[in-house]
Amino acid sequence: MIDPTKLMRGVFVALALFAAGSLPGAGGAIVGVQQVQAQSKAPLIASVLFDGNRRFSDAQLLTMVDTATRGTYSAQGVASDAESIRLAYDKAGFNNVTVTPKVENVEGGRVRVTFVVNEGNRAGIAAINFTGNNAVNGGTLKGVIRTKESGFLSWLFRDDNYDEQQLAVDRDLIRLYYANHGYPDTQVTSVGEFDAARNAYFINFTINEGERYAFGNVGIETSIPGLNTNSLKGTVKTGQGSRYSYVDLQKTVEQMALDATDQGYSFADVRPRLDRDPASKTFNVTYLVDEGPRVYVERVNITGNQKTRDFVIRRELSFAEGDPFNRSVVLRGKRSIEALGFFKAVDITTEPGSAADKVVININVVEQSTGEYGLTAGYSTNDGLLGEISVTERNFLGRGQYVRASIGATAGLGDGQNGGRTFDFSFTEPRFMGLKMSAGVDAYYRVIAEPTSSTSTYYGYTATGGQLRFGVPITRDLSATIFTGLEHKTFSTSNVDGGRLASQIVTDGEVRNKAWLGYTLTYNILDDQKAPTNGLIATFTQQYVGWDVNYVKSEARARYFVPLMEDSGIVGSIRGTAGIINNLSDGEVSATEAFPLGSTLVRGFQGRGVGPRLQSGEFLGATMYAGLSAEIEFPIPVIPETYGLRGAVWADAAWIDGTPAFLAGSVDPDSVDQKFKSSIGASLIWNSPFGPLRGDFAYVLNKATSDRTQVFSLTLSTLL
């Protein structure tokens, strides 16, 4: 039997279909629906290509577009991706770039999308000018900001791009520089103008410096019973009469809080109260040390570290979950993480915890490359042509370990001085067994070929050795390194020119083994480890060397930096060095173990060119020396500081004494007739992409008759 309800439903459906089919233009409703569905189905993307791109690689451009990951073609999406590429080029300084998407049909009903890039010429920075800067010269300010003028190295550094966001950062950097040099109210504006004819920007910073202030009376007040405020006075960097400095104010606050924490007051909080006196242009500062809220660290979250292990970051923090929360301790941890050199940026934020007395600390890091593949070539006045291939990883396996392997070679000088080959490996674990101490191993294999003709070298050698070392921090500024090692060395000699160049120090095939145990103390209070302007660095190394030899070697080095003219970039330094070798057996120290003195002690002398030598010309070295050097380093007015070039004038002096073991009557008297050596000169220092290089032009004032001098030397610049 037919259900009446179902029958009626069927009638209504039939009538509806008939009506739809009879409508003008309907043309079959169900078929029409299928056609719409087919038309709405977008073709699949077979591939995404790029053409004409030089500034960015294909891999870099792929990260800027969504077309590759979308899977299906969308005209709107492709147009959006083209605009993303254009904006990336615009930020890189390419103002006239065009990006045109090209869509081609391929097999299977799919499409190939090609982004055709017409880069044009990159716009640079023609000039950066400053107005209103009466207290600070423009060259100094150019070194402060990150935007640089176009120069001959701009293709390498890519730091001459016009970017509004970067200019905002530059304005803050200028304000901060002024705030650290006595001007707390400085205001900075900037304007950039594009010159189409030169395809470059002219940037002008307008500076309203304001009044200069100094620190007045400085005091410490506390509400914490039992806190020794006298011990906190040593942390004050804002001395009365010194110029106002925002960074010195912040450093004092942080260090004072840390010292109060070390006294057992974990919640100590320091706030500076500044009272401005416009009449005397001073700020009277009172540091208020109070008990902060009793808040504890509930959790530490670390994000952004794709490679670096969590424990590498956590061990730089002096606190953990459950410890008291102290802002200064957190800031110190932030600086320690930044000092690792593994991250582009480190950001630390806090948020409330699960209770009123708990806080959650969030650490977000942005990783950067820590691996380096080096291929370098150069020339040294001491070694001639030299080259090195090296592989370095400063964050090995994300564990914070340092690994370096290198192969080097020197071709020797044109006068026949022997060349050589070196193979070196170094590994350092910064936290040995989880302790605050480092451990490392160094191994080397060195071949110095015997000369065929020479005026200074009479033998070569093959040396294989290595050492273990352990580093321990003693105080915040003082550290110690303990090391021990072994070396096996085989000498080779040459009999050239009828035996004239036969070595009188070693014999051909002679083998010497030695083992050593020593330590180094390092005291470092420099304000900057790469380009210091103030502070002291000093080292003292002492080691016992035994086996086929038996002596104690001691060396001390120190250098003190001080700014000579405020805000001028002129820095003075005084360097002192001294060394002595004490033989513990009868007789003198072997010449192969003596100090090979030369231009590293007194500039203007050749390597191994100063001190006792035999009448045959063979170099002996010395067992005792003391040197003093004074230097003034300054920016070169006619050269922009962005080139990394600076000049220096200097004076060196040294006393060299102590003759190693030799055959009786064989020492050249002309090599020891003047033990006092001195020279003066000027230098050009370049902070190059390959390291800090310096060329020294020297004029020798005092020397022994047979000392060997040189007017110019090219070396790597070092602090000591």
Side-chain angles (χ1 to χ4, degrees), residues 418-425 442-450 459-467 486-492 510-514 516 592-593:
N418 49 342
R421 304 183 304 277
T422 61
F423 305 86
D424 291 88
F425 174 80
D442 305 306
Y444 60 86
Y445 176 73
R446 295 167 185 164
V447 179
I448 305 299
E450 65 181 36
Y459 59 86
Y461 61 83
T462 300
T464 304
Q467 71 173 5
L486 302 169
E487 182 185 78
H488 173 80
K489 181 180 287 187
T490 303
F491 293 92
S492 59
E510 182 177 346
V511 175
R512 291 186 185 177
N513 298 307
K514 64 180 180 180
W516 60 87
T592 60
E593 303 298 320

Side-chain angles (χ1 to χ4, degrees), residues 94-110:
F94 293 80
N95 292 356
N96 300 320
V97 68
T98 60
V99 182
T100 306
K102 183 173 65 175
V103 182
E104 301 172 286
N105 294 322
V106 296
E107 295 180 358
R110 298 180 298 173

Side-chain angles (χ1 to χ4, degrees), residues 341-412:
F342 303 159
F343 311 108
K344 293 180 182 177
V346 179
D347 183 48
I348 297 183
T349 59
T350 60
E351 62 182 53
S354 59
D357 63 343
K358 294 182 179 179
V359 64
V360 176
I361 298 177
N362 299 312
I363 303 176
N364 179 259
V365 298
V366 179
E367 291 186 319
Q368 63 183 0
S369 175
T370 56
E372 300 172 359
Y373 300 89
L375 176 60
T376 60
Y379 177 82
S380 168
T381 50
N382 292 334
D383 302 312
L385 292 174
L386 50 89
E388 182 183 73
I389 300 174
S390 64
V391 179
T392 304
E393 175 54 62
R394 295 180 287 109
N395 188 13
F396 184 62
L397 299 179
R399 304 178 66 88
Q401 298 165 335
Y402 176 90
V403 180
R404 187 178 191 273
S406 66
I407 300 175
T410 59

Side-chain angles (χ1 to χ4, degrees), residues 137-150:
N137 64 67
T140 299
L141 293 178
K142 286 180 182 179
V144 170
I145 62 178
R146 296 179 181 176
T147 302
K148 306 299 182 183
E149 293 177 340
S150 298

Side-chain angles (χ1 to χ4, degrees), residues 227-411:
L227 179 65
N228 183 3
T229 57
N230 289 328
S231 66
L232 302 180
K233 292 181 179 179
T235 65
V236 176
K237 300 181 181 297
T238 55
Q240 184 175 1
S242 62
R243 68 185 179 189
Y244 174 87
S245 172
Y246 174 80
V247 68
D248 288 344
L249 199 65
Q250 296 302 312
K251 285 181 179 179
T252 301
V253 168
E254 181 181 337
Q255 193 57 50
M256 193 174 291
L258 293 175
D259 279 22
T261 301
D262 292 340
Q263 289 189 39
Y265 301 94
S266 301
F267 298 99
D269 183 58
V270 180
R271 292 177 293 109
R273 185 180 67 204
L274 280 71
D275 298 319
R276 185 192 293 253
D277 185 355
S280 61
K281 301 294 187 296
T282 59
F283 280 101
N284 298 318
V285 185
T286 303
Y287 293 98
L288 306 176
V289 187
D290 300 314
E291 188 82 16
R294 291 183 171 270
V295 179
Y296 297 86
V297 178
E298 180 179 13
R299 191 170 65 256
V300 178
N301 299 322
I302 301 175
T303 57
N305 53 318
Q306 302 297 321
K307 174 184 176 182
T308 307
R309 312 287 181 91
D310 272 17
F311 72 84
V312 174
I313 299 174
R314 291 182 184 274
R315 69 190 183 190
E316 298 301 321
L317 307 174
S318 56
F319 61 88
E321 283 87 349
D323 288 348
F325 171 74
N326 187 292
R327 289 179 302 172
S328 297
V329 175
V330 173
L331 288 175
R332 179 173 61 180
K334 179 177 184 292
R335 284 202 306 273
S336 297
I337 297 172
E338 292 172 336
L340 292 173
F342 303 159
F343 311 108
K344 293 180 182 177
V346 179
D347 183 48
I348 297 183
T349 59
T350 60
E351 62 182 53
S354 59
D357 63 343
K358 294 182 179 179
V359 64
V360 176
I361 298 177
N362 299 312
I363 303 176
N364 179 259
V365 298
V366 179
E367 291 186 319
Q368 63 183 0
S369 175
T370 56
E372 300 172 359
Y373 300 89
L375 176 60
T376 60
Y379 177 82
S380 168
T381 50
N382 292 334
D383 302 312
L385 292 174
L386 50 89
E388 182 183 73
I389 300 174
S390 64
V391 179
T392 304
E393 175 54 62
R394 295 180 287 109
N395 188 13
F396 184 62
L397 299 179
R399 304 178 66 88
Q401 298 165 335
Y402 176 90
V403 180
R404 187 178 191 273
S406 66
I407 300 175
T410 59

